[in-house]
């Protein structure tokens, strides 16, 4: 397949943009629904029911012409591993569109089976939303979570990725809250000790950080960078 030329926005008339051919999509992100098997204290969702599932017609029919041409597919939720549609989409992609590089964000509790095999075969990245490494802290932030299962799923993915040489980036992320900000250095150290590639810190714009002084926040960030410097294979401290 001939690569499409890279176009500049000013070269594309509005009329063409309005009718942009679906086969020109290169990166596709599908939010498959908002259902989730945990309730994080900072989650902004208001509905976790099956009613939030994405209509099948979108990925079974409308987006189908895009898959042969696209390069990456991000499957997101809610929690993708509990969404029947996400599982079905994964089967379609691993059977018919093996060139697609997969990305996902998961709480990791059920990341095994078809998810594990699909991402070892054609995964580009997995973001495990771990949120805390201290078990008591995790229990406070990720209500109904099962941290031990998440950790064994992460450890197994690291081990299998390393054994197979799969080009799969493994990342853990945390939403920085008043309760978790002090854990940033330990969170990065945990990632380094467990062979992960990246750590992502996100901020909660609604709640912010209210119970720590600016000096304390700076102190935690300095310590976090210090841990990064001492563990070069782990990529940066990012803020989303
Ligand atoms: S894992 Fe994500 S979707 Fe589920 S409750 Fe937590 S923040 Fe919300």
């Amino acid at each position: 397949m001939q690569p499409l030329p890279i176009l500049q926005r000013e070269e594309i008339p509005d009329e063409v943009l309005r009718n942009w051919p679906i086969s020109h999509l290169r990166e596709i992100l599908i939010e498959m629904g908002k259902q989730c098997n945990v309730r994080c204290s900072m989650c902004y969702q208001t509905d976790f029911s099956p009613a939030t599932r994405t209509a099948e017609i979108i990925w079974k029919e409308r987006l189908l012409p895009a898959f042969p041409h696209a390069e990456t597919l991000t499957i997101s939720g809610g929690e993708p591993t509990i969404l029947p549609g996400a599982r079905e989409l994964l089967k379609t992609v691993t059977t018919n569109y093996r060139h697609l590089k997969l990305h996902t964000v998961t709480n990791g509790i059920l990341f095994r089976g078809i998810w594990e095999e699909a991402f070892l075969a054609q995964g580009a990245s997995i973001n495990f939303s771990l949120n805390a490494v201290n078990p008591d802290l995790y229990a406070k932030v990720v209500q109904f979570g099962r941290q031990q299962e998440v950790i064994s799923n992460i450890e197994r993915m690291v081990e299998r990725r390393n054994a197979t040489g799969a080009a799969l980036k493994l990342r853990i992320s945390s939403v920085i809250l008043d309760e978790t900000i002090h854990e940033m250095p330990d969170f990065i150290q945990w990632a380094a000790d467990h062979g992960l590639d990246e750590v992502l810190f996100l901020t909660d714009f609604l709640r912010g950080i209210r119970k720590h002084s600016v000096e304390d926040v700076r102190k935690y960030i300095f310590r976090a960078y210090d841990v990064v410097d001492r563990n070069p294979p782990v990529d940066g401290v990012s803020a989303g």
Side-chain angles (χ1 to χ4, degrees):
M1 191 191 320
Q2 280 292 98
L4 289 170
I6 295 174
L7 300 174
Q8 301 303 319
R9 167 64 186 92
E10 56 276 15
E11 294 168 5
I12 311 171
D14 285 352
E15 190 50 31
V16 174
L17 265 188
R18 266 194 287 274
N19 298 290
W20 194 249
I22 208 159
S23 59
H24 285 202
L25 293 179
R26 290 293 169 269
E27 297 178 5
I28 303 175
L29 184 154
I30 313 181
E31 189 193 285
M32 298 298 294
K34 297 188 190 308
Q35 268 185 285
C36 189
N37 48 349
V38 299
R39 296 289 181 276
C40 299
S41 61
M42 70 295 185
C43 187
Y44 53 80
Q45 292 185 182
T46 52
D47 186 348
F48 294 85
S49 75
T52 61
R53 287 180 191 167
T54 296
E56 287 187 353
I57 192 171
I58 292 175
W59 49 274
K60 273 193 176 167
E61 291 180 29
R62 299 288 162 81
L63 279 173
L64 223 49
F67 291 156
H69 308 277
E71 291 163 5
T72 68
L73 172 65
T74 303
I75 303 177
S76 83
E79 172 50 41
T81 58
I82 65 155
L83 286 159
R87 196 182 167 85
E88 210 179 319
L89 173 60
L90 204 57
K91 273 189 200 156
T92 304
V93 168
T94 50
T95 308
N96 301 324
Y97 307 105
R98 294 194 186 158
H99 68 284
L100 275 178
K101 294 289 169 211
L102 299 170
H103 298 269
T104 197
V105 178
T106 173
N107 60 39
I109 296 171
L110 296 173
F111 203 92
R112 53 180 182 252
I114 183 177
W115 290 90
E116 177 172 345
E117 300 309 326
F119 274 78
L120 284 168
Q122 60 188 89
S125 77
I126 306 170
N127 188 104
F128 290 96
S129 309
L130 183 59
N131 285 309
V133 289
N134 175 289
D136 295 331
L137 202 49
Y138 176 89
K140 263 190 215 161
V141 176
V142 187
Q143 292 154 49
F144 315 122
R146 301 198 295 271
Q147 194 194 34
Q148 261 323 309
E149 286 168 49
V150 181
I151 291 174
S152 25
N153 289 339
I154 292 174
E155 287 174 340
R156 196 180 59 258
M157 286 307 291
V158 171
E159 200 180 306
R160 290 196 66 196
R161 186 273 312 265
N162 294 348
T164 56
L168 172 64
K169 278 206 170 187
L170 297 170
R171 179 190 315 122
I172 54 170
S173 69
S174 177
V175 178
I176 296 303
L177 306 167
D178 275 320
E179 297 89 320
T180 56
I181 190 165
H182 68 279
E183 212 199 30
M184 287 172 78
D186 290 347
F187 198 79
I188 299 169
Q189 190 61 58
W190 191 95
D193 294 344
H194 286 77
L196 289 146
D197 307 296
E198 292 178 351
V199 173
L200 174 67
F201 292 114
L202 301 147
T203 45
D204 182 332
F205 295 113
L206 294 178
R207 286 166 54 173
I209 298 295
R210 295 170 196 273
K211 297 182 184 161
H212 298 262
S213 66
V214 173
E215 289 69 33
D216 279 348
V217 170
R218 284 204 186 108
K219 192 174 66 191
Y220 301 136
I221 293 173
F222 270 126
R223 284 185 193 155
Y225 272 112
D226 187 45
V227 178
V228 172
D229 290 343
R230 283 189 278 113
N231 295 277
V234 175
D235 262 355
V237 180
S238 310

